[in-house]
Amino acid sequence: MDIDKKIAYEPCKSINAFSHEIFIDRDKGYILAGTTFASLDVDGYMESLLQNKNYYLYLINLYTSEIFDIGKSVYTQMYPIKEDDNTISYLLPNDFKPRHTMLFEGKRIKVDISDMIGKDRGAVREKIIKNIIPRLKENYIKTEAGDLIISENKKYMTIKGYTDEDSFRQSLIYCDDKNNYTVLYEKADSIKIIKWGEFIYADIYFEGNRSLIQYDVNNNQNAVADNVIDINLSESNKYMSIYRDNGDVVILDEAGNKYIDFNAYDYIYEASQGGINVFKDSTSIGLTSWSRNDDKLYILTKKDDRLNNMFEINIADKSVKDLAYDIDCHYENIHIDILNGYAVYNTYPYKQYYTNEDENYNEDVFLYIKYFDTGETVELARTKGKRIYFYLSEHGIEYYSWEDHDRIGGVYTIKY
């Protein structure tokens, strides 16, 4: 409830997917909340069984309903604490094993939240809306203030303008320290503002094209990339990776420099052809994920519904290593643990769950684990034409299959 305006509203109706509420500061009017999304993981039923996740931490300003990205952790929760009225910190644990659920040793990251909290942000947003509407080319029936980023008294804000009740476009507005207003981009499908390193970035989607634009302290624009598939900040925000639909991978450092620039398709190999490069149009782009400590980036590619390869980019020496050229499995029948360096997969040719094709499949099915550091592949189980189900537990990799209504399985202890 807004006591001043004597109205009630629901500021957090858009965050009902958050998995847990962490902290409420009633005096300052904000909530810290967290959620988790799969990273380098299947997107079917196995997702709920496997543990390779990214955890995200958000701040929600209860006065303005704004949601800010605070931090990300690979695999582990972050356990934030309030340092003072303007600072929160969260933990990046040193290590993780599936049997350990609470870890409190590691690197603590501090975040200045002074620009994200308080009632004053609402007044700033309303002022920008009032001053910028006459300068927009389109006549909107209504407008809404979106993301607002404040950097050294300069303001970047998105505005959602409705052409009718159901259709809208977003514009990017800049306000300098002398309250001069400029329309930087108008009528995009969506715009997300990212404050990172020494620059402001605009992640813009318009008519099927996703692009990334960089703005420096003088508001000069630099088109970083277009036709973007994925934009991913490393765990402690040291690097930003950008993945384009033609296979280009660009990694920026905090100063905005291109630290690494290469094409992933140059490193794609087919296991069945013993290292022969494949045509680019036969391969599609999968997922990307950063490792703990910002030292490696992992990229998956797939061919049709099968895993094509997985690449490890070493940030220190800028080398690229293919980890899965010899893995032949359905794209959704593999679990990759990027922290502990292994992949578990079965060779069943269809999705492990929600399919009935196995009645007509009579070939051998194998369950393997591959360790990336050594290249060792271990056979865990095999069946004749039957699926091998597997999942992680505190005991290791548990697996089983069904033969004549009998469940047959075992447990494999992972070599950490």
Side-chain angles (χ1 to χ4, degrees):
M1 296 186 69
D2 189 316
I3 304 301
D4 298 332
K5 296 182 180 180
K6 298 181 180 179
I7 59 174
Y9 62 102
E10 188 180 0
C12 298
K13 62 184 178 182
S14 62
I15 61 168
N16 55 6
F18 287 7
S19 59
H20 52 280
E21 171 192 296
I22 297 174
F23 174 77
I24 299 177
D25 190 320
R26 292 175 174 82
D27 295 329
K28 295 293 183 178
Y30 69 86
I31 294 175
L32 295 180
T35 190
T36 169
F37 296 100
S39 170
L40 291 183
D41 217 339
V42 296
D43 52 13
Y45 177 64
M46 285 176 66
E47 178 180 280
S48 63
L49 301 178
L50 302 177
Q51 300 186 39
N52 196 4
K53 308 286 185 181
N54 278 343
Y55 285 86
Y56 294 85
L57 182 63
Y58 302 91
L59 182 146
I60 303 98
N61 185 318
L62 297 177
Y63 295 113
T64 64
S65 302
E66 295 171 284
I67 302 174
F68 300 92
D69 297 345
I70 297 295
K72 177 178 77 171
S73 173
V74 178
Y75 225 131
T76 50
Q77 294 188 42
M78 292 174 278
Y79 310 109
I81 61 174
K82 180 179 177 180
E83 300 280 347
D84 55 50
D85 284 346
N86 294 318
T87 309
I88 66 103
S89 67
Y90 60 87
L91 185 71
L92 295 179
N94 286 328
D95 198 5
F96 178 79
K97 303 294 184 291
R99 60 184 174 275
H100 298 155
T101 57
M102 301 290 285
L103 293 173
F104 297 97
E105 294 182 358
K107 180 169 57 175
R108 187 158 285 278
I109 306 296
K110 292 186 177 182
V111 181
D112 182 355
I113 62 171
S114 57
D115 286 338
M116 306 176 193
I117 59 177
K119 282 186 178 182
D120 292 344
R121 291 183 59 87
V124 171
R125 285 151 57 94
E126 290 176 6
K127 184 177 180 180
I128 293 176
I129 284 279
K130 180 180 178 181
N131 281 276
I132 206 63
I133 285 178
R135 309 183 193 201
L136 298 176
K137 296 177 182 179
E138 187 79 36
N139 292 320
Y140 298 111
I141 61 173
K142 67 175 180 178
T143 56
E144 296 177 357
D147 297 339
L148 170 63
I149 298 293
I150 301 174
S151 178
E152 298 179 354
N153 294 322
K154 299 174 183 179
K155 306 170 185 70
Y156 294 82
M157 193 176 85
T158 59
I159 290 179
K160 184 183 291 186
Y162 287 82
T163 54
D164 56 50
E165 290 298 326
D166 300 317
S167 301
F168 65 86
R169 289 288 185 266
Q170 285 193 292
S171 301
L172 178 60
I173 311 302
Y174 170 70
C175 175
D176 66 18
D177 52 3
K178 296 180 181 179
N179 290 323
N180 296 312
Y181 296 88
T182 305
V183 180
L184 298 178
Y185 199 103
E186 189 169 354
K187 297 194 296 185
D189 295 324
S190 68
I191 301 176
K192 180 181 179 182
I193 310 172
I194 304 169
K195 182 180 179 181
W196 177 68
E198 301 175 9
F199 300 92
I200 298 293
Y201 294 84
D203 180 0
I204 299 173
Y205 185 81
F206 179 62
E207 294 185 347
N209 179 37
R210 185 181 180 187
S211 59
L212 185 68
I213 298 177
Q214 179 193 81
Y215 298 91
D216 66 15
V217 292
N218 297 315
N219 210 34
N220 296 314
Q221 299 184 25
N222 173 32
V224 178
D226 61 359
N227 297 311
V228 173
I229 296 295
D230 180 70
I231 299 172
N232 198 350
L233 284 170
S234 63
E235 188 179 53
S236 56
N237 292 330
K238 230 178 140 180
Y239 301 101
M240 175 190 288
S241 63
I242 303 150
Y243 200 176
R244 301 181 64 214
D245 63 358
N246 66 351
D248 285 345
V249 178
V250 176
I251 298 178
L252 304 180
D253 60 21
E254 290 179 291
N257 301 314
K258 289 186 178 180
Y259 184 76
I260 293 176
D261 188 358
F262 79 104
N263 189 283
Y265 288 129
D266 293 339
Y267 295 86
I268 293 176
Y269 298 92
E270 290 242 38
S272 60
Q273 297 183 17
I276 304 299
N277 215 333
V278 299
F279 294 106
K280 293 181 180 181
D281 59 3
S282 68
T283 302
S284 58
I285 293 167
L287 300 170
T288 68
S289 182
W290 284 93
S291 69
R292 175 61 44 84
N293 300 322
D294 304 334
D295 57 351
K296 294 182 177 70
L297 175 69
Y298 295 88
I299 300 172
L300 262 69
T301 58
K302 57 184 176 179
K303 184 176 180 181
D304 299 324
D305 60 356
R306 304 192 71 75
L307 178 71
N308 182 284
N309 210 331
M310 175 181 175
F311 303 101
E312 177 187 87
I313 303 174
N314 188 306
I315 303 303
D317 61 17
K318 302 183 181 181
S319 62
V320 181
K321 180 181 179 182
D322 55 282
L323 300 178
Y325 68 91
D326 57 345
I327 293 180
D328 183 19
C329 70
H330 194 285
Y331 187 73
E332 296 185 16
N333 290 356
I334 186 169
H335 168 58
I336 301 171
D337 185 326
I338 60 176
L339 286 192
N340 297 306
Y342 67 85
V344 185
Y345 63 97
N346 68 49
T347 62
Y348 185 67
Y350 311 105
K351 279 187 181 182
Q352 181 158 315
Y353 293 89
Y354 300 127
T355 55
N356 296 310
E357 291 91 343
D358 56 335
E359 291 96 350
N360 301 316
Y361 188 69
N362 296 310
E363 303 297 323
D364 286 338
V365 176
F366 298 89
L367 177 67
Y368 294 109
I369 182 170
K370 178 177 180 179
Y371 294 97
F372 296 137
D373 285 345
T374 64
E376 179 188 12
T377 299
V378 180
E379 179 185 321
L380 308 186
R382 72 169 69 185
T383 65
K384 193 71 172 177
K386 299 295 184 182
R387 311 176 195 187
I388 305 175
Y389 301 93
F390 66 92
Y391 58 94
L392 297 182
S393 72
E394 61 181 6
H395 305 295
I397 300 168
E398 299 198 30
Y399 56 89
Y400 65 92
S401 186
W402 294 95
E403 298 225 359
D404 298 326
H405 305 290
D406 293 326
R407 175 169 165 157
I408 302 172
V411 180
Y412 174 80
T413 302
I414 302 166
K415 301 175 185 177
Y416 290 114

